[in-house]
Each structure stands twice: as structure tokens, then as C-alpha cells.
Amino acid sequence: MDENAGHPRRWAILGVLVFSLLAVVLDNTILNVAMKTIADPVAGLGATQSELEWAINSYTLVFAGLLFTFGVIGDRTGRKRMLFVGMVLFGLSSLASAYAQDPTQLILARAAMGIGGAAIMPATLAIISNVFPARERGKAIGVWAAGVGLAVAIGPITGGLLLERFWWGSVFLINVPIVLISMALIGPVVPESRDPRPSRLDPVGVLLSIIGLVAVVYGIIRGGELATVTSPEVFVPVLAGVAVLAAFVWWERRIDNPAFDVRYFGDVRFTSAIATIGIVFFAMMGGMFFLTFYLQVALGFSPVQAGALMLPFAVAQLIFAPLSQRVNEKFGAKLSATVSLLVLTAILLGYTFFDLHTPVPVLLAVFFVQGVAMANIMPPATTAIMEALPREKAGVGSAMSNTVRQVAGALGVAVLGSVLSSSYRGEIAPALAGLPADVQHAGGESVMATAALAHSLGERGESLLGLANEAFVHSMHVTSLASAGIALAGAAVVARWMPGKPRPVSQPEQQEPAVV
């Protein structure tokens, strides 16, 4: 294959790769709409709020931990082969998720889906880089990113339509036909490729990162369940996880082939850009978690209605993300990202004014503006990361930013979910007074748990439903304030350390015309 011309079927290959990635991206956004149904003890699995957090985070943490390793394995053994393996794992684990009999089975099946997703994601980008010439690579990756954005856009409404017609497992079962079609197309269309000089594996680093992150997240989620940080069940795993992550950093600094090269964080431009991405996804994933319950429980919208309400966010991403690079070029990364983070902070503060009677047009407008802000944060941050690294390390920068994105999202769900749970438990406690202690503890765990308790009490529980919704809205306000504080801290980091607009290179006053 002529490297300057690219593969003759490169655009068909790109189409197959984008379709293959559809299941991985679609699954995350679909799950947000399905959480209320999965929490229902009759229509779903009766999952608690902490179990729902783990259903999200088991996938994310495994995905983030294995992303680098599977990229290296694909470079060694063949990217097409790795893509096949990932699709098989993702399809089988989606099937297991769909027919899980209890929350624990769902959490384990979701972790297996994370293994498949980690094999698929880096293989698609590596194959794109291999089959497209340098002059078309940016356009191809733009199409790939647009495909990801489209999947994000159709995920909530697709999940809502499935839940209206089928059982909760259909949101995972939909992945199976996508996987089968993808595998049928990958075989004849996608060529095999390998890196002639692949990196070495770092199994110790991978193991330390996953153990450390899981321990920290476990402690945070447990703190939300118990509504305290002083219990040994909370601080012991958090401290143990922090110690393991410190060992991970020490290990990554001393080896030649790190899974996550922490030495790049010595460059303040790289660190500020990575921190921006992490903060944005921390706030966004945590916010999406409580918005699901706000729309479907407190406001009483159906899954398909809740999915439709989230469409303005995705539409704004599709419209403004392709235009954001122009904004970045005109105003510079510092200004565009700082303003966007301040807008995001204002939106998160705006959630504190949401109540049980907020009009739908207000919801739609807020979600749209949030989507616009998000669309104008990621490109300048990504550009800053790439400019901070040598050109030959562009792939490393992309993988590191993706890893930070996943980890920050998991921590956002864990931390903000725990804030939501602790605040709700304190707010609903007076309404549960007089009930047996075990009933109070179980019924105060989340708004879904209180609703299930209210239904079991019959007429006596009708007033409890109203109190539960009011308590949830209050806890959502507290969580929104925490999110806004984090976003504001991100704006301060960007304003202080992210590079601004580069100065134009001065041109000579007179330049000899080129000889043709």
C-alpha cells in the first residue's frame, strides 16, 4: 500500500470502524436512561443507588485501566485481530448483562464489557491512522468523532424507546446485532496491520492502577451509603487505594515502557489541559447521574420522554463541536476554554433553581447551553495536549486524555453520587422517623428506595412520595453546588496555566518570489 495514497478502500474501512464503535458509545448513554428501570424491584433488578454507580463504574474503570495495554497488544498481534476479539467479548458480555439475574451479575457483566470496549477503541484509531495518508487523517478522525457524537445523540432516545416496548435488558441486547453485523463487515473490508516496533507491556502498572482506583471508588461509594466518612469501611479502602496509586506513580516513573507516562505531567501545559478534560467529565458524568432520577422520578417523565429532553445537549454537541476549532484558533485555548467553563459553572448553579415544577422549555434551553459549553471545551484542551507533546507522541496523548476522561467520569459518579446519597439520607430522615431502624436505613438510601417503601405502605405511603421528591430536589441542589465548585476550580486552572493564543510569526518585509 502506498503510504502517500492510503488504502484504496479507506473510506469504506472508516465506515465499518465507525459502525463497530457504535455499540460501545451507544451503551453508555443508553444506560443513563435505563437506571430508574433497573432500580425498580418489579420491572428491573431492584438495584440500589450504590449498585447503579458500580454498574456504570465497573465498565469505566476496567476500560480505562486496559486501554493502553490492549493498544500495545493490538500493535503486536494485529489490530484487526484485536478488533475481532473485542467485538466478541463486548457482544457476549452485553448478552450476559441483558439476562443478569441480580445487580452483582450486572456489575460483573459490565466489567467484562469494559474489557471488550478497551480492545475495540484503540484498534479503531490505530487502523484509521494506518489506512489513511497524513493529508486525510485529520478529516477521517473528524468523521470518526462525528460518529461518536451521533451515537451519544441517539443513545438516550433509543434507550427510552426500547424501555417503552421491551424489558430493561433490551438496552444491552441491542448491542448484539450491532456486534454481529460489525464482525461480518470487518472480515472482508478491514485489512490487518501491526506496528513493526511495538511498545512493551506493563502488566504491573495496569494491575496497580485498577486496584488503586477500585479501592478509592469503593470507599467513596461506601461513604455515600453510610452517610459518613469516619467509618473504617470508608477511609480504610480510600487510604489503601491512594497508597496503591502512589506506588503506581512511583512504578511508572522508573520503567522505560510505562502504561501511563506520568512524566508528561511535568509540563504545565499538558497538566492543565488534562485537568480540564478530567474536571469537565467529572462534573458531566456526576450531573448525568442525578439528572436521570430528577427527570424520571421527581418530574415523572417516562424513559422515552427523558431521553427526548436530553436531545438538545447532544444536538448542541453535533452543531458546535465541528465549529469549535475556529473559535479556538480565533481566541486561543485559554480564553475559549475559560469562558466555556464559566458558562458550565453557571449552568450547574442553575440546577439549584430546578424544582418539581420547572417548565420543559427551561429544561431544554439549559441542556442546550450546557451542550454548547461542553462542545467548546474539549477541542482547545485536546489541542493543548497535542501541542505540549512531541508529534510522534500524538497517539500517547490521545490515549492518556481518554484514560483521564474515563477515570474522571467514574470518580464523578462515585463522588457526586455519594454527595447526593448522603444529602438525601439526611433530608428524608425526619419523614422516616418512627419506622424500624432497618427499614429507615434501607428506605433512606435513595429516592427509589423511599418510593418502593411508600408503595409497600399503601395509603399511608402517599404523603411519603411527595416528601421523597422534595428531599431529592434538595439533595440535587447540594450536589449541583458541589459540581459548580469543581467546574469553577477548573476555570481557574485554565485561566492560570493553559497557553493562550499563539503570537503570529512575523514575516520578512520582502520575500523573493518562488522559482517555478
Side-chain angles (χ1 to χ4, degrees):
M1 182 183 72
D2 184 355
E3 291 185 2
N4 293 323
H7 197 283
R9 296 197 310 271
R10 56 191 178 278
W11 294 106
I13 294 167
L14 177 63
V16 172
L17 294 176
V18 169
F19 184 80
S20 300
L21 199 61
L22 182 64
V24 178
V25 181
L26 195 67
D27 177 75
N28 282 329
T29 50
I30 280 182
L31 181 59
N32 286 329
V33 179
M35 284 194 295
K36 175 182 177 289
T37 307
I38 295 172
D40 192 298
V42 178
L45 298 176
T48 64
Q49 181 168 307
S50 61
E51 287 169 337
L52 290 174
E53 290 175 45
W54 275 116
I56 296 171
N57 287 344
S58 62
Y59 173 90
T60 303
L61 292 175
V62 170
F63 181 98
L66 294 176
L67 192 65
F68 275 95
T69 298
F70 280 173
V72 174
I73 293 174
D75 289 342
R76 285 174 173 270
T77 63
R79 292 148 181 161
K80 178 179 179 179
R81 181 178 300 174
M82 201 65 195
L83 188 56
F84 256 118
V85 170
M87 296 304 295
V88 170
L89 283 173
F90 198 85
L92 291 175
S93 51
S94 295
L95 199 62
S97 297
Y99 291 100
Q101 299 300 303
D102 57 53
T104 301
Q105 289 184 17
L106 177 61
I107 291 167
L108 293 174
R110 286 277 299 162
M113 289 175 69
I115 298 174
I120 294 168
M121 179 73 80
T124 58
L125 280 172
I127 292 170
I128 289 171
S129 297
N130 188 66
V131 300
F132 278 88
R135 69 178 187 279
E136 293 180 343
R137 204 165 291 152
K139 184 178 180 181
I141 292 176
V143 172
W144 177 89
V148 171
L150 181 62
V152 170
I154 66 175
I157 193 71
T158 303
L161 290 170
L162 288 170
L163 290 170
E164 280 209 344
R165 290 164 174 77
F166 306 104
W167 95 114
W168 65 268
S170 61
V171 300
F172 299 109
L173 201 61
I174 189 66
N175 295 332
V176 177
I178 296 175
V179 165
L180 292 174
I181 295 170
S182 297
M183 292 177 66
L185 294 172
I186 289 169
V189 176
V190 177
E192 184 60 281
S193 64
R194 292 177 178 83
D195 188 341
R197 291 176 294 183
S199 303
R200 292 165 57 195
L201 296 174
D202 176 23
V204 174
V206 170
L207 192 62
L208 287 174
S209 66
I210 292 177
I211 292 173
L213 287 170
V214 168
V216 169
V217 169
Y218 172 83
I220 293 170
I221 293 176
R222 189 66 178 145
E225 286 183 282
L226 300 176
T228 180
V229 295
T230 59
S231 170
E233 293 183 59
V234 178
F235 67 78
V236 169
V238 170
L239 292 177
V242 170
V244 173
L245 291 176
F248 165 75
V249 172
W250 172 82
W251 174 258
E252 296 299 282
R253 286 180 65 88
R254 70 181 294 272
I255 63 172
D256 296 328
N257 55 303
F260 190 88
D261 197 340
V262 296
R263 287 167 290 202
Y264 288 123
F265 286 91
D267 187 327
V268 71
R269 297 173 302 164
F270 180 85
T271 303
S272 62
I274 283 283
T276 302
I277 290 175
I279 287 167
V280 167
F281 273 83
F282 184 101
M284 186 188 76
M285 291 299 292
M288 289 293 183
F289 187 81
F290 67 70
L291 280 176
T292 298
F293 294 103
Y294 172 68
L295 294 176
Q296 294 189 44
V297 179
L299 298 187
F301 289 113
S302 69
V304 70
Q305 289 171 330
L309 285 171
M310 295 306 297
L311 280 177
F313 176 86
V315 169
Q317 292 269 321
L318 287 174
I319 294 173
F320 288 94
L323 304 175
S324 60
Q325 196 59 37
R326 298 182 190 174
V327 176
N328 185 32
E329 291 171 357
K330 184 173 182 178
F331 298 105
K334 182 192 289 284
L335 181 60
S336 56
T338 300
V339 171
S340 297
L341 275 166
L342 289 174
V343 171
L344 181 61
T345 301
I347 291 296
L348 293 169
L349 283 174
Y351 286 156
T352 61
F353 296 97
F354 283 13
D355 55 27
L356 298 175
H357 309 288
T358 302
V360 168
V362 173
L363 296 175
L364 296 175
V366 168
F367 294 156
F368 183 82
V369 175
Q370 183 175 348
V372 174
M374 289 284 296
N376 283 285
I377 293 172
M378 300 310 295
T382 304
T383 300
I385 289 171
M386 295 309 172
E387 289 178 349
L389 297 178
R391 181 169 296 180
E392 63 272 15
K393 295 294 183 181
V396 174
S398 177
M400 289 180 77
S401 65
N402 200 15
T403 301
V404 168
R405 183 183 309 163
Q406 298 291 335
V407 170
L411 290 174
V413 171
V415 173
L416 296 180
S418 293
V419 171
L420 183 74
S421 181
S422 298
S423 177
Y424 178 80
R425 189 181 288 280
E427 193 69 16
I428 198 64
L432 301 176
L435 295 171
D438 59 335
V439 175
Q440 287 187 45
H441 184 81
E445 200 268 341
S446 68
V447 66
M448 286 296 298
T450 310
L453 174 62
H455 289 308
S456 70
L457 296 175
E459 292 183 4
R460 292 169 51 204
E462 289 183 4
S463 61
L464 184 58
L465 283 174
L467 293 172
N469 287 336
E470 291 175 3
F472 175 80
V473 169
H474 172 81
S475 61
M476 185 183 79
H477 291 167
V478 173
T479 310
S480 299
L481 282 173
S483 303
I486 292 164
L488 185 60
V493 168
V494 170
R496 173 65 181 83
W497 285 292
M498 186 172 281
K501 185 179 180 181
R503 294 180 180 178
V505 179
S506 58
Q507 299 293 329
E509 293 183 3
Q510 292 182 347
Q511 187 173 11
E512 293 294 332
V515 178
V516 180

mmCIF file of all heavy atoms in Angstrom, residues 331-365:
data_model
loop_
_atom_site.group_PDB
_atom_site.id
_atom_site.type_symbol
_atom_site.label_atom_id
_atom_site.label_comp_id
_atom_site.label_asym_id
_atom_site.label_seq_id
_atom_site.Cartn_x
_atom_site.Cartn_y
_atom_site.Cartn_z
ATOM 1 N N PHE A 331 -9.620 32.861 19.216
ATOM 2 C CA PHE A 331 -9.477 33.439 20.552
ATOM 3 C C PHE A 331 -8.395 32.771 21.407
ATOM 4 O O PHE A 331 -8.026 33.304 22.447
ATOM 5 C CB PHE A 331 -10.815 33.369 21.299
ATOM 6 C CG PHE A 331 -11.914 34.138 20.642
ATOM 7 C CD1 PHE A 331 -12.920 33.492 19.936
ATOM 8 C CD2 PHE A 331 -11.944 35.525 20.703
ATOM 9 C CE1 PHE A 331 -13.934 34.195 19.326
ATOM 10 C CE2 PHE A 331 -12.958 36.246 20.092
ATOM 11 C CZ PHE A 331 -13.953 35.580 19.395
ATOM 12 N N GLY A 332 -7.924 31.588 20.980
ATOM 13 C CA GLY A 332 -6.919 30.890 21.758
ATOM 14 C C GLY A 332 -7.536 29.929 22.762
ATOM 15 O O GLY A 332 -8.693 30.099 23.175
ATOM 16 N N ALA A 333 -6.747 28.924 23.159
ATOM 17 C CA ALA A 333 -7.258 27.880 24.051
ATOM 18 C C ALA A 333 -7.640 28.432 25.416
ATOM 19 O O ALA A 333 -8.673 28.073 25.987
ATOM 20 C CB ALA A 333 -6.203 26.777 24.198
ATOM 21 N N LYS A 334 -6.809 29.333 25.952
ATOM 22 C CA LYS A 334 -7.067 29.849 27.304
ATOM 23 C C LYS A 334 -8.420 30.541 27.405
ATOM 24 O O LYS A 334 -9.244 30.224 28.280
ATOM 25 C CB LYS A 334 -5.951 30.813 27.709
ATOM 26 C CG LYS A 334 -6.113 31.376 29.124
ATOM 27 C CD LYS A 334 -5.166 32.540 29.385
ATOM 28 C CE LYS A 334 -3.731 32.085 29.508
ATOM 29 N NZ LYS A 334 -3.462 31.434 30.805
ATOM 30 N N LEU A 335 -8.681 31.484 26.499
ATOM 31 C CA LEU A 335 -9.905 32.283 26.579
ATOM 32 C C LEU A 335 -11.140 31.433 26.290
ATOM 33 O O LEU A 335 -12.131 31.484 27.041
ATOM 34 C CB LEU A 335 -9.831 33.462 25.612
ATOM 35 C CG LEU A 335 -11.042 34.403 25.617
ATOM 36 C CD1 LEU A 335 -11.241 35.012 27.001
ATOM 37 C CD2 LEU A 335 -10.876 35.501 24.569
ATOM 38 N N SER A 336 -11.097 30.638 25.210
ATOM 39 C CA SER A 336 -12.283 29.861 24.828
ATOM 40 C C SER A 336 -12.634 28.823 25.897
ATOM 41 O O SER A 336 -13.804 28.644 26.245
ATOM 42 C CB SER A 336 -12.073 29.188 23.474
ATOM 43 O OG SER A 336 -10.920 28.373 23.481
ATOM 44 N N ALA A 337 -11.612 28.148 26.457
ATOM 45 C CA ALA A 337 -11.893 27.136 27.475
ATOM 46 C C ALA A 337 -12.329 27.776 28.789
ATOM 47 O O ALA A 337 -13.224 27.258 29.475
ATOM 48 C CB ALA A 337 -10.662 26.263 27.698
ATOM 49 N N THR A 338 -11.723 28.907 29.157
ATOM 50 C CA THR A 338 -12.113 29.572 30.409
ATOM 51 C C THR A 338 -13.559 30.043 30.348
ATOM 52 O O THR A 338 -14.341 29.810 31.289
ATOM 53 C CB THR A 338 -11.189 30.777 30.687
ATOM 54 O OG1 THR A 338 -9.842 30.316 30.790
ATOM 55 C CG2 THR A 338 -11.584 31.462 31.984
ATOM 56 N N VAL A 339 -13.938 30.702 29.262
ATOM 57 C CA VAL A 339 -15.320 31.186 29.117
ATOM 58 C C VAL A 339 -16.295 30.010 29.119
ATOM 59 O O VAL A 339 -17.348 30.056 29.785
ATOM 60 C CB VAL A 339 -15.468 32.011 27.822
ATOM 61 C CG1 VAL A 339 -16.935 32.325 27.551
ATOM 62 C CG2 VAL A 339 -14.668 33.304 27.932
ATOM 63 N N SER A 340 -15.946 28.934 28.418
ATOM 64 C CA SER A 340 -16.839 27.773 28.364
ATOM 65 C C SER A 340 -17.010 27.131 29.742
ATOM 66 O O SER A 340 -18.116 26.726 30.115
ATOM 67 C CB SER A 340 -16.289 26.737 27.381
ATOM 68 O OG SER A 340 -16.251 27.252 26.065
ATOM 69 N N LEU A 341 -15.916 27.066 30.518
ATOM 70 C CA LEU A 341 -16.019 26.504 31.865
ATOM 71 C C LEU A 341 -16.832 27.410 32.792
ATOM 72 O O LEU A 341 -17.558 26.925 33.668
ATOM 73 C CB LEU A 341 -14.625 26.276 32.445
ATOM 74 C CG LEU A 341 -13.978 24.941 32.052
ATOM 75 C CD1 LEU A 341 -12.494 24.951 32.390
ATOM 76 C CD2 LEU A 341 -14.668 23.776 32.762
ATOM 77 N N LEU A 342 -16.733 28.715 32.604
ATOM 78 C CA LEU A 342 -17.551 29.632 33.404
ATOM 79 C C LEU A 342 -19.033 29.480 33.047
ATOM 80 O O LEU A 342 -19.904 29.539 33.932
ATOM 81 C CB LEU A 342 -17.095 31.079 33.185
ATOM 82 C CG LEU A 342 -15.739 31.444 33.810
ATOM 83 C CD1 LEU A 342 -15.332 32.855 33.405
ATOM 84 C CD2 LEU A 342 -15.786 31.321 35.331
ATOM 85 N N VAL A 343 -19.324 29.285 31.768
ATOM 86 C CA VAL A 343 -20.718 29.033 31.355
ATOM 87 C C VAL A 343 -21.207 27.721 31.967
ATOM 88 O O VAL A 343 -22.335 27.628 32.474
ATOM 89 C CB VAL A 343 -20.833 28.992 29.816
ATOM 90 C CG1 VAL A 343 -22.222 28.523 29.388
ATOM 91 C CG2 VAL A 343 -20.535 30.362 29.222
ATOM 92 N N LEU A 344 -20.352 26.683 31.937
ATOM 93 C CA LEU A 344 -20.716 25.400 32.537
ATOM 94 C C LEU A 344 -20.969 25.556 34.043
ATOM 95 O O LEU A 344 -21.913 24.969 34.594
ATOM 96 C CB LEU A 344 -19.613 24.373 32.286
ATOM 97 C CG LEU A 344 -19.847 22.960 32.844
ATOM 98 C CD1 LEU A 344 -21.080 22.331 32.217
ATOM 99 C CD2 LEU A 344 -18.624 22.082 32.590
ATOM 100 N N THR A 345 -20.138 26.356 34.703
ATOM 101 C CA THR A 345 -20.350 26.626 36.129
ATOM 102 C C THR A 345 -21.712 27.278 36.366
ATOM 103 O O THR A 345 -22.444 26.909 37.294
ATOM 104 C CB THR A 345 -19.243 27.554 36.663
ATOM 105 O OG1 THR A 345 -17.968 26.934 36.454
ATOM 106 C CG2 THR A 345 -19.424 27.833 38.143
ATOM 107 N N ALA A 346 -22.049 28.256 35.515
ATOM 108 C CA ALA A 346 -23.348 28.938 35.648
ATOM 109 C C ALA A 346 -24.508 27.964 35.436
ATOM 110 O O ALA A 346 -25.525 28.036 36.137
ATOM 111 C CB ALA A 346 -23.428 30.088 34.644
ATOM 112 N N ILE A 347 -24.350 27.038 34.482
ATOM 113 C CA ILE A 347 -25.402 26.054 34.232
ATOM 114 C C ILE A 347 -25.585 25.145 35.443
ATOM 115 O O ILE A 347 -26.725 24.863 35.874
ATOM 116 C CB ILE A 347 -25.065 25.204 32.981
ATOM 117 C CG1 ILE A 347 -25.153 26.062 31.726
ATOM 118 C CG2 ILE A 347 -25.986 23.990 32.871
ATOM 119 C CD1 ILE A 347 -26.536 26.590 31.413
ATOM 120 N N LEU A 348 -24.473 24.689 36.016
ATOM 121 C CA LEU A 348 -24.556 23.817 37.194
ATOM 122 C C LEU A 348 -25.171 24.554 38.379
ATOM 123 O O LEU A 348 -25.927 23.971 39.162
ATOM 124 C CB LEU A 348 -23.171 23.281 37.545
ATOM 125 C CG LEU A 348 -22.575 22.311 36.511
ATOM 126 C CD1 LEU A 348 -21.102 22.038 36.807
ATOM 127 C CD2 LEU A 348 -23.356 21.002 36.474
ATOM 128 N N LEU A 349 -24.859 25.854 38.514
ATOM 129 C CA LEU A 349 -25.516 26.659 39.541
ATOM 130 C C LEU A 349 -27.008 26.805 39.239
ATOM 131 O O LEU A 349 -27.838 26.847 40.154
ATOM 132 C CB LEU A 349 -24.869 28.045 39.620
ATOM 133 C CG LEU A 349 -23.518 28.134 40.341
ATOM 134 C CD1 LEU A 349 -22.947 29.538 40.192
ATOM 135 C CD2 LEU A 349 -23.663 27.778 41.810
ATOM 136 N N GLY A 350 -27.320 26.862 37.925
ATOM 137 C CA GLY A 350 -28.723 26.970 37.533
ATOM 138 C C GLY A 350 -29.563 25.780 37.965
ATOM 139 O O GLY A 350 -30.770 25.912 38.218
ATOM 140 N N TYR A 351 -28.923 24.601 38.075
ATOM 141 C CA TYR A 351 -29.654 23.417 38.539
ATOM 142 C C TYR A 351 -30.210 23.613 39.949
ATOM 143 O O TYR A 351 -31.166 22.949 40.341
ATOM 144 C CB TYR A 351 -28.746 22.184 38.525
ATOM 145 C CG TYR A 351 -28.460 21.629 37.147
ATOM 146 C CD1 TYR A 351 -27.311 20.870 36.915
ATOM 147 C CD2 TYR A 351 -29.318 21.862 36.085
ATOM 148 C CE1 TYR A 351 -27.032 20.359 35.660
ATOM 149 C CE2 TYR A 351 -29.043 21.356 34.833
ATOM 150 C CZ TYR A 351 -27.905 20.601 34.622
ATOM 151 O OH TYR A 351 -27.639 20.096 33.379
ATOM 152 N N THR A 352 -29.604 24.513 40.732
ATOM 153 C CA THR A 352 -30.097 24.726 42.094
ATOM 154 C C THR A 352 -31.454 25.432 42.111
ATOM 155 O O THR A 352 -32.095 25.507 43.160
ATOM 156 C CB THR A 352 -29.088 25.554 42.917
ATOM 157 O OG1 THR A 352 -28.914 26.838 42.304
ATOM 158 C CG2 THR A 352 -27.736 24.854 42.978
ATOM 159 N N PHE A 353 -31.883 25.959 40.958
ATOM 160 C CA PHE A 353 -33.197 26.595 40.862
ATOM 161 C C PHE A 353 -34.250 25.639 40.275
ATOM 162 O O PHE A 353 -35.421 26.002 40.184
ATOM 163 C CB PHE A 353 -33.109 27.868 40.014
ATOM 164 C CG PHE A 353 -32.238 28.929 40.616
ATOM 165 C CD1 PHE A 353 -30.916 29.089 40.223
ATOM 166 C CD2 PHE A 353 -32.737 29.763 41.609
ATOM 167 C CE1 PHE A 353 -30.111 30.066 40.785
ATOM 168 C CE2 PHE A 353 -31.935 30.750 42.175
ATOM 169 C CZ PHE A 353 -30.621 30.899 41.766
ATOM 170 N N PHE A 354 -33.830 24.444 39.858
ATOM 171 C CA PHE A 354 -34.792 23.458 39.366
ATOM 172 C C PHE A 354 -35.626 22.953 40.551
ATOM 173 O O PHE A 354 -35.088 22.736 41.648
ATOM 174 C CB PHE A 354 -34.073 22.276 38.715
ATOM 175 C CG PHE A 354 -33.541 22.552 37.332
ATOM 176 C CD1 PHE A 354 -33.469 23.834 36.820
ATOM 177 C CD2 PHE A 354 -33.105 21.509 36.525
ATOM 178 C CE1 PHE A 354 -32.983 24.080 35.554
ATOM 179 C CE2 PHE A 354 -32.613 21.733 35.256
ATOM 180 C CZ PHE A 354 -32.547 23.028 34.765
ATOM 181 N N ASP A 355 -36.911 22.758 40.309
ATOM 182 C CA ASP A 355 -37.771 22.191 41.353
ATOM 183 C C ASP A 355 -38.757 21.234 40.715
ATOM 184 O O ASP A 355 -38.546 20.800 39.564
ATOM 185 C CB ASP A 355 -38.490 23.309 42.130
ATOM 186 C CG ASP A 355 -39.286 24.248 41.227
ATOM 187 O OD1 ASP A 355 -39.734 23.808 40.131
ATOM 188 O OD2 ASP A 355 -39.474 25.424 41.586
ATOM 189 N N LEU A 356 -39.819 20.912 41.427
ATOM 190 C CA LEU A 356 -40.796 19.946 40.922
ATOM 191 C C LEU A 356 -41.732 20.545 39.886
ATOM 192 O O LEU A 356 -42.575 19.827 39.340
ATOM 193 C CB LEU A 356 -41.619 19.377 42.089
ATOM 194 C CG LEU A 356 -40.821 18.614 43.151
ATOM 195 C CD1 LEU A 356 -41.716 18.209 44.310
ATOM 196 C CD2 LEU A 356 -40.169 17.381 42.534
ATOM 197 N N HIS A 357 -41.580 21.834 39.601
ATOM 198 C CA HIS A 357 -42.481 22.499 38.642
ATOM 199 C C HIS A 357 -41.703 23.258 37.571
ATOM 200 O O HIS A 357 -42.259 24.149 36.910
ATOM 201 C CB HIS A 357 -43.407 23.471 39.384
ATOM 202 C CG HIS A 357 -44.119 22.852 40.551
ATOM 203 N ND1 HIS A 357 -45.144 21.945 40.403
ATOM 204 C CD2 HIS A 357 -43.901 22.981 41.898
ATOM 205 C CE1 HIS A 357 -45.566 21.549 41.594
ATOM 206 N NE2 HIS A 357 -44.834 22.158 42.515
ATOM 207 N N THR A 358 -40.447 22.939 37.340
ATOM 208 C CA THR A 358 -39.655 23.630 36.321
ATOM 209 C C THR A 358 -40.230 23.366 34.930
ATOM 210 O O THR A 358 -40.425 22.204 34.552
ATOM 211 C CB THR A 358 -38.192 23.149 36.365
ATOM 212 O OG1 THR A 358 -37.664 23.383 37.676
ATOM 213 C CG2 THR A 358 -37.346 23.886 35.341
ATOM 214 N N PRO A 359 -40.530 24.414 34.136
ATOM 215 C CA PRO A 359 -41.134 24.207 32.802
ATOM 216 C C PRO A 359 -40.180 23.474 31.855
ATOM 217 O O PRO A 359 -38.951 23.635 31.926
ATOM 218 C CB PRO A 359 -41.394 25.639 32.307
ATOM 219 C CG PRO A 359 -41.349 26.490 33.528
ATOM 220 C CD PRO A 359 -40.389 25.838 34.471
ATOM 221 N N VAL A 360 -40.744 22.698 30.959
ATOM 222 C CA VAL A 360 -39.962 21.930 29.989
ATOM 223 C C VAL A 360 -39.092 22.844 29.109
ATOM 224 O O VAL A 360 -37.923 22.527 28.857
ATOM 225 C CB VAL A 360 -40.882 21.041 29.133
ATOM 226 C CG1 VAL A 360 -40.130 20.463 27.933
ATOM 227 C CG2 VAL A 360 -41.441 19.908 29.979
ATOM 228 N N PRO A 361 -39.614 23.983 28.596
ATOM 229 C CA PRO A 361 -38.743 24.847 27.770
ATOM 230 C C PRO A 361 -37.482 25.303 28.507
ATOM 231 O O PRO A 361 -36.423 25.447 27.887
ATOM 232 C CB PRO A 361 -39.648 26.042 27.438
ATOM 233 C CG PRO A 361 -41.037 25.494 27.508
ATOM 234 C CD PRO A 361 -41.003 24.500 28.618
ATOM 235 N N VAL A 362 -37.580 25.516 29.814
ATOM 236 C CA VAL A 362 -36.399 25.905 30.597
ATOM 237 C C VAL A 362 -35.393 24.761 30.623
ATOM 238 O O VAL A 362 -34.180 24.966 30.444
ATOM 239 C CB VAL A 362 -36.810 26.312 32.028
ATOM 240 C CG1 VAL A 362 -35.571 26.549 32.895
ATOM 241 C CG2 VAL A 362 -37.679 27.555 32.005
ATOM 242 N N LEU A 363 -35.881 23.540 30.830
ATOM 243 C CA LEU A 363 -35.002 22.365 30.824
ATOM 244 C C LEU A 363 -34.280 22.245 29.485
ATOM 245 O O LEU A 363 -33.056 22.037 29.438
ATOM 246 C CB LEU A 363 -35.812 21.090 31.093
ATOM 247 C CG LEU A 363 -36.501 20.961 32.446
ATOM 248 C CD1 LEU A 363 -37.350 19.687 32.477
ATOM 249 C CD2 LEU A 363 -35.495 20.947 33.582
ATOM 250 N N LEU A 364 -35.028 22.374 28.400
ATOM 251 C CA LEU A 364 -34.444 22.232 27.063
ATOM 252 C C LEU A 364 -33.386 23.294 26.804
ATOM 253 O O LEU A 364 -32.308 23.003 26.255
ATOM 254 C CB LEU A 364 -35.547 22.321 26.004
ATOM 255 C CG LEU A 364 -36.617 21.209 26.021
ATOM 256 C CD1 LEU A 364 -37.706 21.509 24.997
ATOM 257 C CD2 LEU A 364 -35.990 19.861 25.739
ATOM 258 N N ALA A 365 -33.673 24.543 27.199
ATOM 259 C CA ALA A 365 -32.719 25.638 26.973
ATOM 260 C C ALA A 365 -31.436 25.418 27.777
ATOM 261 O O ALA A 365 -30.329 25.611 27.261
ATOM 262 C CB ALA A 365 -33.366 26.971 27.354
#
